[in-house]
Amino acid sequence: MQTGSVTTPFGRRSMTLALVKRQVATREIKAGKSVEKWKVFRDASEAREALGLQSSSLAVLDALLSFYPENELRQEAQLVVFPSNAQLILRAHGMAGATLRRHLALLVESGLIVRKDSANGKRFARKNNAGEIENAFGFDLSPMLARSEELALIAQKVVAARSAFRKAKENLTICRRDVRKLISAAMEEGAEGDWLTIEAMYVELVARIPRSPTMEDVAGVLDEMELLRDEIINRLEDQQNSQFSSTNDAQFEQHIQNSNPESIYEFEPSSEKEQGVKPSKPDKPKVEPLKAFSLGVVLKACQQLADYGPGGAVGSWRDLMSAAVVVRSMLGISPSAYQDACEVMGPENAAVAVGCILERANLINSPGGYLRDLTRRAERDEFSLGPVIMALLRNNGGRLLQAV
């Protein structure tokens, strides 16, 4: 291989340290190294976006390689090709001259070729008396030989990422279908639960998928869609078996009367004005407990709440409601505000609402006023905990609690 000193570009083209580095690298190719030129071309094609190239750039690279007579790029060979622009245009399928020059510049920038310019900028080869090429000026293909392993590695990563992206999109399509059909079946067959809220959560997830999604977009929605599917399946399985675990049994058994002196809904009054607990309002219907999500999911969303449970842990819905009473007092939420929330939302829902407020306590000026506002909205059917839990699962510790 020809190994002269570093050459600078002809005319107005400037020299850069990156060009110096690339030219030095071509002189450090391991002795005897060789690689099949079209294999390197295929790797460069796969790595096109990572290299900052366009499809037309590859057409020009293909044309340049076609002027190299051998099938292998070898360290000891003369790797400079010197076609004219007119010849390159023909082999690049009639590409415009300005376009050709632009893509040649991109190939140089990407480090796949190096210009070796003559004194007058012309491309040609000078031969010795034996007819062998002694010196050539044009485009040096040595960088493709020098970077063959690197290009192969980039190509492998691109192919793996493309395969993972395709699988993720397929999994999302299947998961969307599952969730949509499970919700429809539950609604049509009258399964117990707030399926309109769950359907709204599904619609919100689908709406977040952009027209041209990235792997990050698909992976984020897929995680939440799978979580929603698992919760729907758990909900339907619970109904089909007509049996809940012992912790869920406690949840339903503790749908207790407020008159019970041992009820966890009996609070310490926050002032003389609030002696005792407000009696339940007979004209309001009982609210069903939170059943769209399991206790485990609620604890994942309201991570801080478990610290206030009996013994510093929450193992049942009753433990969670006990923890909410402690947190209610700690946040300065009055007993009457919490009692109203229990009557309107249901005791389990009210406890979860307090857990959600705790997660964003540093962003809420008045936790008591905030809970009263949620209670009023719930009374008008304008508030549901489902989207709040999903938002906390998605952004716990990241963004402001969205009450929807």
Side-chain angles (χ1 to χ4, degrees):
M1 186 183 81
Q2 218 171 336
T3 58
S5 58
V6 171
T7 62
T8 57
F10 171 77
R12 298 179 183 176
R13 290 190 295 270
S14 60
M15 188 64 178
T16 65
L17 295 180
L19 287 174
V20 175
K21 183 179 178 181
R22 290 168 194 157
Q23 290 189 40
V24 170
T26 62
R27 300 203 302 273
E28 296 175 352
I29 298 174
K30 185 179 178 181
K33 182 179 180 179
S34 65
V35 67
E36 202 270 308
K37 67 179 181 181
W38 298 117
K39 180 185 182 304
V40 185
F41 176 75
R42 288 192 296 272
D43 290 340
S45 299
E46 291 286 2
R48 172 174 65 86
E49 291 185 5
L51 296 171
L53 298 176
Q54 302 172 11
S55 56
S56 296
S57 307
L58 297 176
V60 175
L61 182 60
D62 178 86
L64 284 172
L65 287 171
S66 71
F67 283 99
Y68 181 73
E70 299 183 34
N71 195 47
E72 285 193 341
L73 302 175
R74 292 178 289 107
Q75 180 269 340
E76 68 274 10
Q78 195 287 121
L79 297 177
V80 177
V81 293
F82 39 89
S84 66
N85 279 2
Q87 291 173 311
L88 278 174
I89 286 171
L90 285 175
R91 295 203 186 181
H93 312 293
M95 183 180 292
T99 305
L100 174 71
R101 290 189 291 274
R102 179 161 56 86
H103 289 292
L104 284 170
L106 284 174
L107 290 171
V108 173
E109 269 183 47
S110 68
L112 291 180
I113 62 173
V114 172
R115 291 182 187 272
K116 187 179 179 184
D117 290 344
S118 65
N120 61 4
K122 300 294 184 181
R123 302 173 202 148
F124 62 91
R126 186 176 288 115
K127 299 183 180 180
N128 58 22
N129 293 333
E132 298 173 342
I133 294 178
E134 188 176 61
N135 203 1
F137 301 94
F139 299 102
D140 191 350
L141 303 176
S142 300
M144 295 191 68
L145 176 61
R147 299 180 64 188
S148 59
E149 295 90 352
E150 177 194 352
L151 293 172
L153 183 60
I154 295 174
Q156 288 174 12
K157 289 181 179 178
V158 169
V159 171
R162 186 185 302 134
S163 176
F165 186 37
R166 183 178 64 253
K167 289 178 182 177
K169 289 197 294 184
E170 289 173 354
N171 290 339
L172 179 56
T173 298
I174 293 170
C175 194
R176 281 181 60 181
R177 182 187 66 201
D178 292 346
V179 172
R180 177 64 271 176
K181 292 195 173 184
L182 286 169
I183 292 173
S184 297
M187 287 179 168
E188 290 169 5
E189 297 183 26
E192 188 179 351
D194 189 359
W195 296 105
L196 289 176
T197 297
I198 296 175
E199 183 179 45
M201 293 160 59
Y202 164 78
V203 171
E204 187 269 335
L205 284 176
V206 172
R208 282 172 41 206
I209 306 172
R211 185 180 296 273
S212 300
T214 63
M215 179 63 179
E216 186 179 1
D217 295 327
V218 173
V221 175
L222 177 58
D223 286 345
E224 295 183 45
M225 192 71 75
E226 287 178 337
L227 177 64
L228 185 59
R229 179 181 61 185
D230 292 345
E231 287 304 314
I232 292 172
I233 292 172
N234 289 340
R235 171 78 178 101
L236 294 175
E237 284 180 349
D238 285 344
Q239 290 192 38
Q240 183 179 7
N241 296 334
S242 300
Q243 291 288 335
F244 289 93
S245 66
S246 58
T247 57
N248 280 341
D249 282 337
Q251 170 194 354
F252 289 114
E253 288 167 9
Q254 294 303 326
H255 224 191
I256 347 171
Q257 303 294 327
N258 288 328
S259 58
N260 186 341
E262 297 181 356
S263 171
I264 63 170
Y265 310 117
E266 301 258 344
F267 313 113
E268 283 296 322
S270 61
S271 68
E272 292 183 1
K273 187 177 179 180
E274 292 183 323
Q275 295 296 326
V277 182
K278 285 180 68 176
S280 18
K281 300 177 183 178
D283 56 332
K284 288 191 178 180
K286 284 188 178 180
V287 180
E288 285 295 319
L290 182 74
K291 293 185 283 187
F293 292 93
S294 67
L295 178 64
V297 170
V298 170
L299 291 176
K300 284 181 182 178
C302 305
Q303 296 177 5
Q304 299 180 57
L305 193 57
D307 296 336
Y308 300 91
V314 169
S316 67
W317 281 96
R318 181 173 178 81
D319 290 346
L320 183 138
M321 291 185 285
S322 297
V325 173
V326 176
V327 171
R328 184 277 303 167
S329 178
M330 182 188 73
L331 293 176
I333 299 173
S334 68
S336 62
Y338 189 45
Q339 180 65 19
D340 285 345
C342 289
E343 292 174 0
V344 172
M345 300 182 189
E348 292 85 0
N349 291 8
V352 174
V354 169
C356 293
I357 292 173
L358 177 63
E359 289 296 310
R360 296 295 180 268
N362 61 320
L363 302 173
I364 298 173
N365 292 328
S366 173
Y370 192 82
L371 181 62
R372 286 191 184 278
D373 181 63
L374 296 186
T375 302
R376 285 192 295 269
R377 294 175 65 185
E379 201 167 17
R380 300 193 301 268
D381 292 329
E382 295 175 359
F383 171 73
S384 172
L385 279 168
V388 178
I389 292 173
M390 293 297 289
L392 284 174
L393 286 168
R394 182 169 65 249
N395 304 311
N396 200 350
R399 287 185 291 182
L400 183 65
L401 174 64
Q402 299 292 319
V404 291

